[in-house]
Amino acid sequence: MTHSRLRSTDVLVIGGGLAGERCAIEAAAAGHDVVILSLVPPRRSHSCAAQGGMQAALGNCIMGEGDNTTLHFIDTVRGSDWGADQEVAQIFAEEAPRAVRELAHYGVPWTRVRGGKNRYFIKGAQLEIDEREETDGLMMHRDFGGTAKWRTCYAAAGSGHAALYALDSEVIKLGITVTDRAEAVALIHDGNRCWGAVARCLRTGRHFAVVAKATVIATGGYGRIYGQYTTNATINDGTGAAIALNTGVVPLGNMEAVQFHPTALAPSGILISEGARGDGGYLLDKNLRRFMIDAEPGKQELASRDVVSRHMMRTMRDGHGVETPFGTHLWLDLRHLGGHHLETKLREITEICRDFAGLDPARDLIPVEPTQHYSMGGIRVNKDGHAYGMSGLFAAGEVACWDMHGFNRLGGNSQAETVVAGRIVGEAAADFASGTSLNVNTGVAIAAVRSAERHAASWLARSGSGPDVYSIRDAMGETMIDKVGIFRSGDQLQEAVDRLLSLLADCDRAVLRSKVPGMNPELSFALRLKNMLRLAVVTAMGALARTESRGAHYRTDYPLRNDTNWLNRTLVRWPESASEPEFTYEPVGPIDVPPGFRGYGRDDQLEMEVSVDQYNKDVFVRQATEGRLESREPAGSRVRWGEWQEHV
Amino acid sequence: MNKARGKTPRRLTFQVFRYNPQDPESNPRMQSFELDEAPYMTLYIALNQIRETLDPSLQFDFACRSAVCGSCGMMVNGRPTLACRTLTSDLSDEIRLHPLPVFELIGDLSVDTGKWFRQMVERTEGWIHTQRDFDPAAPEQRMDDDLAQAIYESDRCIECGCCVASCGVANLDQDFAGPAGLNRLARFMMDPRDERTDSDWFEVVSTEDGVFGCLGLMACHDVCPKDLPLLEIHAYLRRKMLTTKLA
């Protein structure tokens, strides 16, 4: 064991996207030594592909007038279909304005209010609205689905790019160590306490350990378990969530809560931002009819993503989609927005249409279909981002189940979450690191490195005729999109579980065709594959067990939201020796806004049989028995009980 | 678009640069692969197909596959561009692929742009320099929307390295800030939140490694996948340096 294979730091951040970098900045500002591990140079993280913007209740423009953090909180809870932890949603809404302003301080060129006459498209009508001169130059908002006000702050359609570059500049200014092209493959832990991670260098294929007082996982979503049927980047394979699951101790929350974005470009699956509909775009069927007007008279194209995606699927299923040799799609119509708007505020969308479909959105209709987009579920953490059951392990951003999104996330809330949670979790990790010393037995770290090396070597040692890793991946992706997609049923989900478990077994028989030294791309992928399948299995099994419909989880055999039995959060652990994962359930969190109609979608559900007070009585005790660690402030301290009633 | 539909697919030949520095037995060479063209086929699709069906050891980089992350810059028929958005239907049936020059080779078509750009940002101090502390309770500083748009225009650079690879100076001089570096400097110069003075800028920009190192070939402007107005940005920097000196 040479020295370079064992490094140490105060705070290890796994993941160099918005959440990870914001955590790192907070920990470094507190005086800690920080190391970021990233699969790619941080500026290439998938945060850079976030287009639409960040929700923050500044209320700067006329259509956002009267907005406040309580309205943002209520919208977020309704969007979640009451699956969210309402205290976390409250904290998030309160902190979002500070987060977007801080990004402005770091240099994000947010689009600004232009005082005087502005032309907007709202529900199919072009309106001229006078923006107040006194708000000229403040941050502008655009409309997004499921919100009472225009609230999303944006920089054209490249908000994630601008935010990521601003944060990464700050990371470089602070001199934070970034080890890019490195993949964390296992956590170093003793079953109670996490001491860093083992990583594999994607330049050389060599393994090394980074021991740390506090470890933060911020690796984003796991969309690639849906194969190519995702808007996610190729690097969103969920390894961060998987290494937490592989501890056997840390639970993942609500893995069945998977968001499908209504408008991915067909057939490539590249994202077209919700900003396109927020700015007035229409969804049309093959007869160029705006089917969302009848389906959702109130919000039309701007109902929440789960609701719009289901209406689109029904429209296509009823024969109103456009048939092509590559599948069925619907149309997104932006032509009426005009060339100037498309070249400025929706510039990135115009480029994507041109580059990948040869279309000009000022003249052409855009083929779109719903596609996997976001993972509401992830590593279950308390309000500080501290993982259940594992001291010293934190998670932030999409990889975490913090859980402000419940069963459906609102557009503009995830980008904002990355920086809001990044600051809070970074601060909590820094506090934790301050209060502890690095008294880890380096033998434990070295053993973890050796174990990872043996695992990689075992792949290279296999020979003979087994299945190849890419065919297993393709079978996983097809299974997930066909049977664990937008519409789910018990039969299909059972088939999916059986198929995924058999693919998991195939993994152990799979054979590599390339044994080249170095990073070996086939081996690199093989090392991810079993992790991806384990995530796929817990997603499908969670969906099978949840016999109700809530947010993005829609069961055709149980079409109603069931607050009698299912107002809870799925937790799944996979004990080391077990062949299958174990499921438990905990309360969603303290309920302030009681379950009811979301304002879009269906208005019928099975009601709670206990009172809200009864539900709330033992929430924190029950969560503690599931492994929730004590937060720095007491659980529930940030709930502003009943304040929402003044705003509805 | 989609010229292949309804016809017999073209047979494409890819000539790909191969070298794995981690393998003592590997020598730099060109290797040939053949594929049937498919509708909507991009180099992202083609290269993955080559790796998954023909040679699993082939190294290349993709992440977003939607031309926003900048991972997949490579030389396509001698011209630096983003592979993910390059449609095979726009190319002849023989396609030559090389890694970007200037950057350290990791293997085959994969190069270390991350290292190059980090040192560029460090050298040009590519971040907002301000004495003001962030006040969490205060509303944001105002900015005219036209100015925000102008900053955004430069901020859109995705650091893919295509301009650097195309630059005659950057190919010879590792210390040259390169078109992407100069663009980054211009982006912060026009941002009123950055409090660096004209003489601060003069120190960084007006050197042989800065804007006066540029020979004016401007291939960068032609190859930029994001259509950044690099010509105008160079002119802006030179004008600004001149007026600073005259003042």
Side-chain angles (χ1 to χ4, degrees), chain A residues 91-131:
Chain A
I91 294 170
F92 162 74
E94 279 173 31
E95 298 282 332
R98 170 195 172 142
V100 295
R101 286 170 172 151
E102 186 182 62
L103 285 172
H105 181 75
Y106 289 152
V108 172
W110 294 112
T111 300
R112 303 295 176 136
V113 176
R114 302 176 84 99
K117 275 203 193 331
N118 284 260
R119 231 174 252 169
Y120 304 127
F121 275 91
I122 302 172
K123 287 185 187 172
Q126 189 175 29
L127 302 177
E128 251 184 24
I129 289 181
D130 267 333
E131 293 294 350

Side-chain angles (χ1 to χ4, degrees), chain B residues 132-189:
Chain B
R132 287 178 310 115
D133 287 329
F134 173 64
D135 178 358
E140 64 274 21
Q141 199 184 345
R142 285 168 200 268
M143 180 180 279
D144 185 77
D145 190 48
D146 287 333
L147 177 59
Q149 281 189 34
I151 296 170
Y152 181 72
E153 182 66 19
S154 263
D155 201 61
R156 293 186 308 110
C157 169
I158 58 172
E159 299 190 350
C160 59
C162 288
C163 63
V164 179
S166 77
C167 173
V169 181
N171 268 275
L172 296 174
D173 177 5
Q174 278 291 334
D175 293 330
F176 181 50
L182 294 173
N183 172 65
R184 203 47 60 196
L185 283 165
R187 178 250 173 270
F188 286 106
M189 274 173 84

Side-chain angles (χ1 to χ4, degrees), chain B residues 73-162:
Chain B
M74 62 181 71
M75 304 296 280
V76 178
N77 292 336
R79 195 182 167 89
T81 192
L82 295 178
C84 72
R85 69 162 202 183
T86 302
L87 293 158
T88 55
S89 56
D90 290 337
L91 303 173
S92 66
D93 51 14
E94 183 157 322
I95 300 164
R96 280 175 297 121
L97 303 177
H98 289 83
L100 292 183
V102 180
F103 305 99
E104 196 176 313
L105 182 75
I106 289 175
D108 301 336
L109 300 172
S110 171
V111 294
D112 206 333
T113 49
K115 195 186 280 178
W116 193 95
F117 277 99
R118 169 117 184 186
Q119 62 79 27
M120 182 275 281
V121 173
E122 284 169 351
R123 273 193 305 130
T124 57
E125 300 193 4
W127 52 81
I128 296 278
H129 289 52
T130 178
Q131 296 300 314
R132 287 178 310 115
D133 287 329
F134 173 64
D135 178 358
E140 64 274 21
Q141 199 184 345
R142 285 168 200 268
M143 180 180 279
D144 185 77
D145 190 48
D146 287 333
L147 177 59
Q149 281 189 34
I151 296 170
Y152 181 72
E153 182 66 19
S154 263
D155 201 61
R156 293 186 308 110
C157 169
I158 58 172
E159 299 190 350
C160 59
C162 288

Side-chain angles (χ1 to χ4, degrees), chain A residues 186-239:
Chain A
L187 293 172
I188 301 167
H189 70 97
D190 59 13
N192 295 301
R193 174 76 166 92
C194 178
W195 293 109
V198 176
R200 182 168 180 270
C201 174
L202 298 177
R203 290 182 176 82
T204 62
R206 283 195 280 271
H207 289 84
F208 60 96
V210 184
V211 293
K213 295 176 185 170
T215 303
V216 185
I217 300 179
T219 52
Y222 47 91
R224 285 279 153 179
I225 66 173
Y226 283 82
Q228 61 178 305
Y229 306 101
T230 176
T231 63
N232 286 190
T234 59
I235 52 175
N236 298 127
D237 46 43
T239 303

Side-chain angles (χ1 to χ4, degrees), chain A residues 473-532:
Chain A
R473 174 204 62 191
D474 291 345
M476 169 179 68
E478 297 292 335
T479 304
M480 291 302 289
I481 197 69
D482 288 349
K483 301 181 194 300
V484 199
I486 294 173
F487 292 118
R488 304 167 173 184
S489 70
D491 297 350
Q492 297 263 301
L493 288 166
Q494 185 61 57
E495 286 174 27
V497 170
D498 295 343
R499 179 83 175 114
L500 293 166
L501 285 171
S502 104
L503 290 170
L504 191 59
D506 285 350
C507 243
D508 293 327
R509 299 191 297 115
V511 173
L512 301 182
R513 289 164 298 158
S514 165
K515 319 271 182 180
V516 293
M519 65 83 74
N520 185 343
E522 193 186 21
L523 172 62
S524 298
F525 184 73
L527 294 172
R528 291 169 198 138
L529 183 59
K530 197 165 184 177
N531 284 332
M532 294 172 82

